[in-house]
């Protein structure tokens, strides 16, 4: 006697969940291929010339099929921007978790961000280079863009709980803005420290941008040593104290 319950499916057919899973995997693979080709075009022609039609042509797709994945050039750009911010943010967060005193970890984060930028110069240019004409980044880019800064803020919090911090003082005219920065970006940190962290964060990307965009040509030769020294100095000037045995 056959005791199996009927399934309502033909022998050898896939369950609905399996079909959905296969479709999602296929969609993920096509999405990744689209973004890979778009990154290739970024490297070749720059973000301003990115074209959905060109991407579709290189992938052997009709434009209407590609629009089902990215309805506009701006949506594709946003996906690439979020991916880039997430990638450099992940590198910073991994480095922030290394063992060492706060100043050592600060240097590790700066070095990790620089290494990512040098390995991915076109993606770095997309997020820290010239604005793309006609493109306005949506709010979905804000959280990914904050990851490097928040990694540095986390180190500052650890420094405050451990060896202490020594940020520079604030002129009276800047205090209201510093208090707003602290409330918005680094709750619980002194306004002096929050303001100095934002300054150091922006200066870090200035150092990296000079290198990525060729501004050190015939100026700085030993760029590894130069960057390590400059990054440490940024940390000290921001108020990230070295360990007790390494104060100078």
């Amino acid at each position: 006697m056959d005791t199996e319950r009927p399934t309502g499916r033909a022998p050898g057919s896939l369950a609905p969940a399996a079909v959905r899973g296969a479709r999602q995997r296929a969609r993920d693979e096509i999405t990744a291929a689209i973004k890979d080709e778009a990154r290739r075009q970024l490297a070749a022609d720059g973000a301003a010339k990115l074209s959905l039609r060109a991407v579709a042509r290189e992938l052997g797709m009709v434009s209407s099929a590609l629009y089902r994945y990215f309805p506009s050039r701006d949506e594709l750009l946003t996906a690439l921007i979020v991916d880039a911010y997430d990638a450099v943010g992940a590198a910073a967060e991994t480095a922030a978790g290394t063992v060492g005193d706060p100043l050592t970890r600060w240097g590790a984060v700066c070095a990790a961000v620089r290494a990512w930028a040098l390995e991915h110069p076109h993606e770095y240019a997309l997020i820290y280079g010239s604005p793309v004409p006609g493109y306005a980044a949506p709010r979905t880019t804000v959280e990914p863009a904050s990851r490097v800064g928040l990694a540095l803020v986390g180190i500052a919090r650890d420094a405050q709980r451990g060896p202490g911090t020594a940020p520079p003082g604030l002129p009276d005219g800047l205090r209201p803005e510093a208090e707003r920065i602290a409330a918005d970006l680094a709750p619980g940190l002194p306004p002096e420290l929050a303001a100095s962290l934002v300054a150091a964060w922006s200066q870090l990307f200035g150092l990296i941008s000079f290198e990525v965009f060729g501004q050190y040509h015939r100026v700085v030769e030993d760029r590894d040593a130069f960057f390590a020294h400059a990054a440490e100095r940024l940390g000290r000037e921001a108020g990230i104290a070295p360990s007790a045995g390494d104060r100078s």
Side-chain angles (χ1 to χ4, degrees):
M1 180 176 180
D2 186 0
T3 58
E4 290 186 3
R5 299 178 62 186
T7 63
R9 296 196 305 271
S13 64
L14 294 175
V19 172
R20 288 193 296 272
R23 287 175 177 167
Q24 186 59 51
R25 286 193 297 274
R27 183 175 183 85
D28 291 345
E29 290 173 2
I30 294 172
T31 299
I34 291 169
K35 291 196 287 189
D36 285 345
E37 175 57 28
R39 292 187 187 99
R40 192 196 67 77
Q41 292 193 17
L42 285 180
D45 302 316
K49 294 184 178 179
L50 181 63
S51 161
L52 288 182
R53 289 183 180 275
V55 171
R57 182 174 59 251
E58 290 298 322
L59 293 176
M61 300 173 64
V62 295
S63 298
S64 58
L66 190 145
Y67 291 144
R68 292 200 293 269
Y69 296 86
F70 296 100
S72 69
R73 181 211 67 162
D74 284 6
E75 292 199 28
L76 178 54
L77 269 177
T78 296
L80 298 176
I81 287 168
V82 168
D83 283 354
Y85 277 134
D86 278 337
V88 68
E93 290 160 1
T94 298
T98 58
V99 176
D101 62 70
L103 192 62
T104 298
R105 292 167 58 215
W106 174 282
V109 169
C110 294
V113 173
R114 172 182 178 247
W116 181 88
L118 293 176
E119 290 172 10
H120 305 89
H122 303 292
E123 291 170 69
Y124 180 86
L126 178 63
I127 54 178
Y128 292 112
S130 300
V132 180
Y135 173 79
R139 289 201 58 81
T140 52
T141 62
V142 172
E143 184 175 347
S146 303
R147 291 176 66 173
V148 172
L150 291 177
L152 297 176
V153 168
I155 292 172
R157 291 190 189 282
D158 291 343
Q160 196 175 34
R161 288 191 291 262
T165 58
L170 286 173
D172 291 342
L174 183 58
R175 181 161 292 277
E177 177 62 10
E179 290 174 349
R180 186 199 63 76
I181 289 172
D184 288 351
L185 304 179
L189 289 185
E192 293 85 354
L193 183 56
S196 67
L197 287 172
V198 171
W201 179 29
S202 61
Q203 290 172 70
L204 168 63
F205 285 106
L207 285 168
I208 294 171
S209 293
F210 257 52
E211 185 169 4
V212 171
F213 301 140
Q215 300 300 318
Y216 284 150
H217 182 58
R218 295 186 178 180
V219 177
V220 177
E221 297 297 334
D222 188 348
R223 294 171 190 173
D224 292 345
F226 180 84
F227 181 84
H229 169 74
E232 179 180 340
R233 183 171 180 176
L234 284 180
R236 289 181 183 274
E237 290 177 349
I240 306 299
S243 61
D246 187 38
R247 293 185 182 274
S248 59

